[in-house]
Structures are given as C-alpha cells and as structure tokens.
Amino acid sequence: MAAARRARDPRAGFRRPEAEPGPAVPQGLLRAARKSGQLNLAGRGLGEVPQHVWRINLDTPEEAHQNLSFGAADRWWEQTDLTKLILASNKLQCLSEDVKLLPALTVLDVHDNQLTSLPSALGQLKNLQKLDVSHNQLRSIPEELTELPRLKSLLLHHNELTHLPEGFGQLVNLEELDLSNNHLTDIPTSFALLINLVRLNLACNQLKSLPADISAMKSLKQLDCSKNYLETVPSKIATMASLEQLYLRKNKLRSLPEFPSCKLLKELHAGENQIETLNAENLKHLNSLSVLELRDNKIKSVPDEITLLQKLERLDLANNDISRLPYTLGNLSQLKFLALEGNPLRTIRRDLLQKGTQELLKYLRSKIQADAPSPAGEPPLTAITLPSQARINMHAITSLKLLEYSEKQAAVIPDEMFDAVRSHPVATANFSKNQLSEVPPRIVELKDSVCDVNLGFNRISSISLELCALHKLTHLDIRNNFLTSLPEEMEALARLQIINLSFNRFKVFPSVLYRLGALETILLSNNQVGAIDPLRLKNMDKLGTLDLQNNDLLQVPPELGNCATLRSLLLEGNPFRTPRAAVLARGTAAVLEYLRSRIPA
C-alpha cells in the first residue's frame, strides 16, 4: 500500500526504478527521527536514499494508518523537523534533488559513498551548517553550494576535484574547509573573503602557488598545504596574526618566509622540502613556537638565534647537511625532543646522539660552561660511585622501609645497599636519577616486600626478569629511560596499579599492559606510540587514567569512548586531527562522549 502511494507521488519521478534501493529503513528509526530530528542511516548498504526519507516531514507516517489510538508519545503530527541526516558509508552514486524537501537540515553527512556529483538543490538548504561529502568521487561542485549563508563546516577531502566555483567567497560564515586529497591546481581569489575561516586544509593537491590574498583570512589558525608543488610561500602569509599551525611539508620550498606578525604561531612543519638556509630573520619573531619540524631538507647550519625560541618543545632537524650546532641550543629549557640523526655532525659523537634529548642538551650546556671553574670543595661527578661513598641510611630502611640510592650518577647500585636490607624488609626502592643501564639484578631480593620501585631518569633499555619477579609491586616508575618494549613476563605483576613509562622510546603500546588487570594508571606520554586497541582497553575495568600526550597517534579510535572507567584521558600533542583541540579542552567526559558519537551505527 505504501509502495503504491509512493508510485502515485509526482515527486517519485526523481527515483530510478531500475536502481537497487538496498535494505529498507526500519520504521522504528523513522519514528525516532520524527521525535529527535536526527536520522542516522550510516553503513546500511543503501544504493539510493528511499523516497520516504526525503519526505519524512511531509507524508503521513505508516503507523498513522494502522493505529487510530495515539498515546502522548505517538503524536506524529507533533513531529520535529529533520535537522541531522547521516548517510555515510553506503553505496550512493547520486543524491536526489528532493534533498530540498528537508529545509531544516543543519547537518548533512554523506561521506564515504560513490557520489560523482551533487544536486544543485543543496543550495536551498539555507539552515545547513555542516556538510560532509568527503571520500567520494566528486569532480566538481555546483555553484549553488556557495549560496549557503549559515554553512560553517565544509568537508570535501578525498574526492577528484580539479577546480572550485569562483563564488566560494560567498560562504562568509565558513569556519572549517577541508579540500585535501583532490587534484586542485589553483585556489579562487575569492578565498580572501572567508574572513571567519579557522581551519583550511589544502594538503595533497597539485598547487604550485598560493594567492597572496589568502593573508586576508584574519581568523585562520590552521593552514595545511602539505604535499603540493609550492616553490614559494607568499610573503604576506607572514602577516596572518591568528595563525597557530602551518604545515608546508613535502613541497619544493627553497626557503622559509619571515614571520614578523605571526606572534601566535605554535607549530611550523616544513620537512621534506629543499630548504638550504635557516636565517635569524626566519625565527626571531616566533615567540610562541613550540614545534619546529625541518627534517629532510638541505640546511647547512643552525643560527644562534634559535635560542630565542624559548617555548620550543620539539625540534626536528634530522637528515639535513648540518655539520655543527650552536652550543647555546642547550639553553632551550622547554625542549623535550631533538632529532639530529642523518646529519654530518663533526662536533658531537654518534653515541651521544643516541642517548636522547636531555643528555644531548646537557652536553651542549657543558660546552658553554667548559671554561667555568668548578665550585670549591665539590668532587667531580663520575660515571660510577664507589661503595665507600654509599652512605647507607639505616633510619630510612628500618623506620620508613625505604631503600634509597638516587641522584648519585651511579652506573651500578653498590652491593652493600642490598646487604643492608637482608634482615630489614623494605616497601620502597628508589634508584632514580643515576646512570643505570640495566635493572639492578639484586632487586629480586626485595620480591617479598617491595611495593614501590622508582628507576626513573636512568639509561635502562630493557626490563629484566628480576623485576618481573616482584610479585607485590603496585607502583613502578621507569620514566625517562631508553625502553622500546616490555617483556611478556611482566604479566606476573598482577598487583601493579600504577606504571609510569613517560619519556621513553615506545613506538607500540606494550601489549602486556592490556593483561595487567589491576592497572589503574598508565602514563605513556612523550613516546612515539602510533596506535592503541580500544577493545582491549575497555576490558581493563580498573583503568582510570591514561596519559598518551605527545605521541604519534594519527587517529583516535571512536570505540575508546566506550572505556567507561576512564576519568582522565590525556591526548594533547598528537598528530591526529580529530578530536579537535576545542573538544580536548573540555575534558575527559566530553572527549569520551564525542568519541562515542563517532562510532558507526
């Protein structure tokens, strides 16, 4: 009966009877959509959008013909206009002009389909604020799309666009525009009118130049022009006072512009270009810069003015032609990551480069102070502290149950320290801030009593089986070492509640951690972890804190939002694009809610 009504509807002519419509839309979904104003049809294998979806707010619903007794919850005539329609991850090859029958839409998401064009009727959706047509096969954009006065977010990335309508500048309320991964060779000059744009992504196109007028975008905070054919950057770009992140990687740049007005610029990524010189003028105004990435260029020297960048946290100069470094680089107090591999450095030994950023900065500072006299009466620090210098604090051992041998610059822990606790069980062992290259083998002698072990700020590159035998361990601090992995034998630490692995060299989330069911806190910041398994994390039902700041996460899996026990989730400083900084700033609960909203239906 409903099919017959649709056949008589004159608007049904827009449908293609021969097309495979795909699975029907459940009536329950439509009923809920009339109440909520939101309809999610993602991932349903739809070959086309059923006509009753476009007409959801026009036609009498099916249930009205079947049930003449309506409760308060079934008053379909009090329905809400559809404001959010998600058609992502289907098999749609076209959108009907009937989209105009949903004039209240504020969000339309059609990403990950097979669209080759868009209907001109989109221009009639005057309330539309977000349009996502990314990951399709679009070759052009209808001019009518530029007539959407309220549009704030337009996602067109991963299509086959070769040009854009000249009228793009009419989208004056646009705040986010993603055109990455297309075939664009130029940008309309009308872009200059997008004065409210905050994020512009032009990466992975075929641009040979940028219009100088782009500098008129006074609100722009993030500009990504990576993987194009740019040989120069307009000098006017340096007047963009709001710019915070600039990505110029994988182009053909031979030099960087000066940045006299970019006082807020925090990140500058210009790796994999052909830059030969780095001048003081390029740097001296960048007072807010925290990330400077210039790897894989042809830079021959680093100016002393680099020390003006006092907020710098990450400096990547790998694979250049640098033969010497200014020793004053050691005075960058905030620097946490310095990459220099692949340079013909003559003044710094290769083994020193492998010891990590802090050791390298310490060396550079020592060269500045090389001629300064040592304070009177202080013996020089040696790599190994002799047992005779081990002042055993028996009061701490007997009263505080603490075995401490920290900040001694020691390469080994003297035997007499362990001898002293044979008849005095200790709960805490602190061997931090030494020069240990391995876990002290005799630590196994503490297995029946020790609960808290601190081995932070050493040079340990692997965890020994002796440490895995400490079956009463609840707290383990191994931050600031050279660890790249954890042994599977650590699964024996069944009582471990807190582990600090920050500032190591992990590229993979240690899989053994997923099997430590008592873990409440995992601190893994400032490593190079590229991925996490949200399903295994969800099974860690005691995990309340997860710190993954400053890693290499390219994406955050939406399923992480299902980790209901998390009270503190820290993700800042990773290269993923979503969740955006504004979401992260709202705290863990907001981030988890956002991630849950991204889980495919």
Side-chain angles (χ1 to χ4, degrees), residues 453-471:
V453 170
N454 189 345
L455 289 163
F457 298 91
N458 278 288
R459 302 167 60 189
I460 298 168
S461 57
S462 64
I463 297 300
S464 66
L465 296 181
E466 286 86 358
L467 184 68
C468 301
L470 305 181
H471 58 92

Side-chain angles (χ1 to χ4, degrees), residues 307-350:
T307 56
L308 296 174
L309 309 181
Q310 280 299 309
K311 292 187 178 178
L312 203 61
E313 296 181 9
R314 294 178 71 89
L315 176 59
D316 192 342
L317 295 168
N319 302 321
N320 276 281
D321 296 331
I322 300 167
S323 57
R324 61 167 294 277
L325 282 179
Y327 294 140
T328 49
L329 196 63
N331 289 332
L332 290 175
S333 58
Q334 303 294 315
L335 200 61
K336 299 182 179 71
F337 175 83
L338 174 60
L340 293 167
E341 65 270 13
N343 281 286
L345 290 165
R346 299 191 186 98
T347 54
I348 300 176
R349 300 190 315 276
R350 182 173 297 179

Side-chain angles (χ1 to χ4, degrees), residues 35-171:
K35 295 175 183 176
S36 68
Q38 301 184 10
L39 179 58
N40 187 343
L41 298 176
R44 290 185 171 269
L46 298 176
E48 65 177 17
V49 180
Q51 188 70 16
H52 54 269
V53 171
W54 300 128
R55 301 185 60 84
I56 188 171
N57 294 136
L58 296 177
D59 292 344
T60 304
E62 193 76 25
E63 64 267 22
H65 299 282
Q66 301 168 356
N67 181 6
L68 299 179
S69 175
F70 298 103
D74 293 319
R75 294 174 179 170
W76 54 266
W77 58 86
E78 294 179 359
Q79 64 184 317
T80 302
D81 283 344
L82 200 65
T83 59
K84 184 175 182 178
L85 177 58
I86 300 176
L87 297 166
S89 302
N90 281 292
K91 300 174 183 177
L92 304 177
Q93 296 182 10
C94 68
L95 279 184
S96 167
E97 296 283 342
D98 282 352
V99 69
K100 65 188 176 188
L101 301 179
L102 299 173
L105 276 185
T106 60
V107 175
L108 177 58
D109 184 348
V110 207
H111 83 268
D112 189 22
N113 277 284
Q114 300 163 23
L115 302 177
T116 56
S117 63
L118 294 174
S120 57
L122 279 177
Q124 298 182 39
L125 303 181
K126 301 302 183 184
N127 291 300
L128 200 62
Q129 295 181 23
K130 178 176 181 178
L131 176 60
D132 186 349
V133 289
S134 63
H135 292 274
N136 279 284
Q137 299 161 27
L138 300 175
R139 297 185 182 89
S140 63
I141 299 297
E143 191 76 39
E144 290 82 0
L145 195 66
T146 66
E147 300 169 4
L148 299 174
R150 292 186 171 87
L151 197 63
K152 292 183 177 181
S153 174
L154 177 55
L155 306 180
L156 292 161
H157 53 95
H158 289 88
N159 277 288
E160 297 174 15
L161 300 174
T162 56
H163 64 282
L164 298 172
E166 186 56 46
F168 232 84
Q170 298 177 66
L171 299 171

